Structures are given as C-alpha cells and as structure tokens.
C-alpha cells in the first residue's frame, strides 16, 4: 500500500516535484509497464486538478492502442499522425493544445474535452507510448504543466514499457 500525500495548496513547482517523486516511488522495482501506467494514470487523475481524462496510449504494431487510463471510455486505436496523440507519437514532440476543436484532425473521444496535453514516452530511443491529459477547460495547460509532465515521464519512462 502506498500512502501518498501531496499538498495541492503548495506552489505549482513544489506540487509537481512531489507528484514526480510519488510517481518514481510508485514504479520503483515494478517491472510490469502496464501496471505502472495504471498507477501513474491514477496518480495524475487523483492529484492534477481540472482533468476529465488521464491515461496512456501504447505504440503497438505501428499504431496507438488504448492503455491504462482514468476517465470516460475512450477511442481504442489511433493512427500514427492522427489527432493530437497520433501527432505526438509520430513527431516525438509534446503537443499542448489550448483548443482541441481548432486542432486539424482532432479526434473527439470526449466532446467535453477542450484542451489537451500529450507527452511522448521514449525508452531506448524509441517512442513506446504517449501520456494523454484532457481538460474540459479551454487553455488549461501551461508551459509549467508541460515541463513538469515531461520531467515526470522522463523520470519513469524506463518503467513504463
């Protein structure tokens, strides 16, 4: 059992440092990538405010396949290069989208989502998954959110696949 206590009222920088430390502790010593993705999705869902979806899409046979997540039922398969997640996976670049409805080719798995942050997960030089965070709030994700999630994923990527 894990006893995680993150103070949501602290500075954003301290909050994200605690979130990253908790993520590292959750995956430490666990070799199963899917189990680790499940715990990380749950951790983010529990503590990051303003989300309506948090989870992973895994790269399998050249496409993104739904992995562990928290939120409403989601699209199961996404082609590489399609939508926000597919673009992140195909380019290897983080996608921070203020208005998903203005993103060319956006795939609306949940019509309530307004903004999105997608972080590629790289292991041994190849993209193995993406972390996908959706919010019903427009322009919800800041540069600080993006940098923090990139750092969190960077700290645990080797335990995710």
């Amino acid at each position: 059992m894990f006893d995680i206590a993150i103070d949501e009222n602290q500075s954003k920088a301290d909050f994200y440092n605690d979130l990253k430390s908790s993520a590292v502790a959750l995956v430490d010593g666990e070799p199963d990538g899917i189990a680790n993705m499940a715990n990380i999705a749950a951790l983010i869902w529990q503590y990051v405010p303003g989300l309506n979806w948090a989870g992973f899409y895994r790269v399998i046979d050249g496409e993104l396949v739904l992995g562990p997540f928290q939120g409403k039922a989601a699209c199961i398969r996404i082609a590489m290069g399609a939508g926000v997640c597919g673009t992140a996976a195909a380019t290897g670049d983080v996608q921070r989208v203020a208005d998903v409805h203005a993103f060319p080719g956006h795939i609306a798995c949940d019509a309530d989502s307004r903004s999105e942050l997608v972080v590629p997960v790289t292991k041994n030089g190849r993209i193995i998954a993406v972390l996908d965070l959706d919010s019903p709030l427009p322009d919800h994700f800041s540069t600080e959110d993006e940098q923090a999630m990139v750092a969190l994923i960077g700290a645990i990527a080797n335990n995710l696949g």
Side-chain angles (χ1 to χ4, degrees):
M1 173 151 176
F2 293 95
D3 184 22
I4 297 171
I6 298 174
D7 181 1
E8 297 171 23
N9 297 315
Q10 62 189 332
S11 73
K12 209 169 194 181
D14 289 340
F15 167 80
Y16 276 125
N17 282 333
D18 285 353
L19 189 72
K20 183 173 80 170
S21 295
S22 296
V24 169
L26 276 174
V27 302
D28 184 44
E30 176 52 57
D32 189 285
I34 292 175
N36 287 334
M37 285 180 187
N39 264 341
I40 297 306
L43 177 74
I44 291 169
W45 176 258
Q46 181 177 359
Y47 288 104
V48 176
L51 301 181
N52 64 331
W53 203 90
F56 292 89
Y57 279 93
R58 302 177 304 130
V59 177
I60 299 175
D61 296 331
E63 66 182 339
L64 293 174
V65 179
L66 182 64
F69 71 93
Q70 299 285 314
K72 290 182 182 178
C75 301
I76 296 173
R77 294 180 184 273
I78 299 173
M80 295 297 265
V84 181
C85 288
T87 298
T91 64
D93 296 328
V94 173
Q95 300 295 306
R96 183 167 46 97
V97 180
D99 179 2
V100 295
H101 301 296
F103 189 90
H106 173 250
I107 300 167
C109 295
D110 181 351
D112 292 335
S113 292
R114 297 286 309 277
S115 57
E116 190 166 3
L117 177 63
V118 180
V119 178
V121 179
T122 304
K123 182 177 179 180
N124 299 325
R126 66 181 182 87
I127 296 172
I128 60 165
V130 296
L131 169 67
D132 181 19
L133 305 179
D134 293 0
S135 175
L137 306 170
D139 200 16
H140 178 66
F141 301 103
S142 67
T143 301
E144 188 175 10
D145 297 321
E146 177 182 337
Q147 292 169 345
M149 286 300 165
V150 167
L152 186 152
I153 291 298
I156 64 171
N158 287 337
N159 298 88
L160 297 180

